[in-house]
Amino acid sequence: MIRAIYGSRVSVFKGQDKTSHTVQQETTLKEVTARGWTAVGYFEDLDVSADKYGPWKRPDLGPWLTAIHPGCEDGTCGHDATEPCMAQWDAITFTKVDRVFRSAGDCADLARWCKKNKRILYFTDDNIFLDYSIEDESFGNSMAEIFLYLSALFAKIELGRIKRRSQDTHNFLKYHDRWPGGIPPYGYVVVPREGGGKTLAIDPETSKNLLWMAHLCVEGFSFEQIAVILNDQGIDSNRVRYLKSQGKTVSGRKEKPVEDMTWSGATVAYVLRSPSSRGFKLKGREIAYGKDGAPIRYADPIFDSELWPKLETACKARERERSRDFGAPPLRAVAMCGECKQRMHFNAHVKRNKTYRYYVCNDKKHRVQCGVRRVAEEVEGLVEEAFLAKAGGWYVHERIYVPGEDHTEELGNLKERIKSLRAEKDEGLIVGEEDEAEYKLRLRSMIERRTKLEALPQKKATYEYRPTDQTYYSAWMLSKWPERRKLLVDAGVQFFMYADINHPDELVIPKDMEERLKKAA
């Protein structure tokens, strides 16, 4: 009795619409049955490139060639879990050579492995049958080997053609508002494009979530806090949502559960700040520009002209304050060492059910230990007393980001592209009438765009401090330490402590802020 395994591989799995792997499995199983073999298992490698992963490195096929398959341990394979999978079959069946190899080297390696281990290697559609289970070298095997190696070579050549066609398509699409494929930005969905191809449009469901996230950020929630809220509400991250819509999971196997890819502070920050969330096409993480030098936009922005400046202000403020907010010690970025002028570190430990908290100087970056070590409760009390005594009657000032009309960055990028395009001409890369016509069109469009940008008013973005109707004393008393720390950080307050007990501690408020606050008071 010959025990056979059979299976499939596809480079790109597109969910329920993809049937290639199913056809491969049905074809190979039918042939196994027709030959009177016993099917003992199957493998299914979805979203697996034969160019990048050889047979032994594939998630489903690999274990059959080496060790115990995961299915053996849970009993689904119906085999003895104590015996390696490679010892549980005699023949391996595929439909075509290109379903296994895109490399002549991988082809030779698997053929040698089958020969060494006396296995049968069969490609049903290509009619290539290699029976290495027999001892004698046969003429049939020799001819089959020749056809196998030739087929693998042609598969490699065809892969090169596919890559070139893909690159040509990419070069065409990079100057147009056609969607090249992949996961769309959060808040958008892929739709048919007028004139052919695909583009993006605002998704009614996820765009509401994106607007909600933006409003939370504007209201003062940190990126980490927003991530916690999204996860608590059971809202899928962009990748999980996309995979579910395609009917597949991270591994590409529908029967396996989706891996835990929840929201994080970093993903929230990227979604809110990325130009793709405003409908722009990206090149890497930067805005992509068309042949005329103007930004390429797929769809209308989700954030309107009133919300976007506020969101930009909130994101800029979080970018300015690089120390963490969510769960941060009360005086992080406020408690300073008077000896080395570096931030104090926060230490806490529990002993006999009691928590001991300290601010200590241990600047690992500069390898400095100044010996400053203070009990946290003592320092927090001193900061509260000193700050309210000095600034309690002053009105709280909000730091507001005022966006400008500054086209310096876009203008600089445009000048670089004009320079690069002219360099291509000088190096002789513009060849033929078609290239020459496209070169002149692109250069003329870019120069026109540059002229328009240079004519626009240049007003740099700035920050303004605007007084509120609340004093620091009332704001302090109505809040807890996370909010109090924000008041201190926004005011630029720092509290310096010294190892010398005779040197008094110092509460320092920046001079410009102090003058502004006094004037408002």
Side-chain angles (χ1 to χ4, degrees), residues 373-387:
R373 178 185 175 88
R374 303 285 283 276
V375 176
E377 289 82 2
E378 174 190 341
V379 177
E380 290 157 10
L382 290 173
V383 169
E384 178 177 10
E385 181 181 350
F387 179 67

Side-chain angles (χ1 to χ4, degrees), residues 506-519:
E506 294 179 272
L507 182 82
V508 177
I509 301 177
K511 285 293 182 184
D512 60 333
M513 176 65 78
E514 184 173 351
E515 291 172 1
R516 224 176 350 258
L517 294 175
K518 284 182 178 179
K519 185 177 180 180

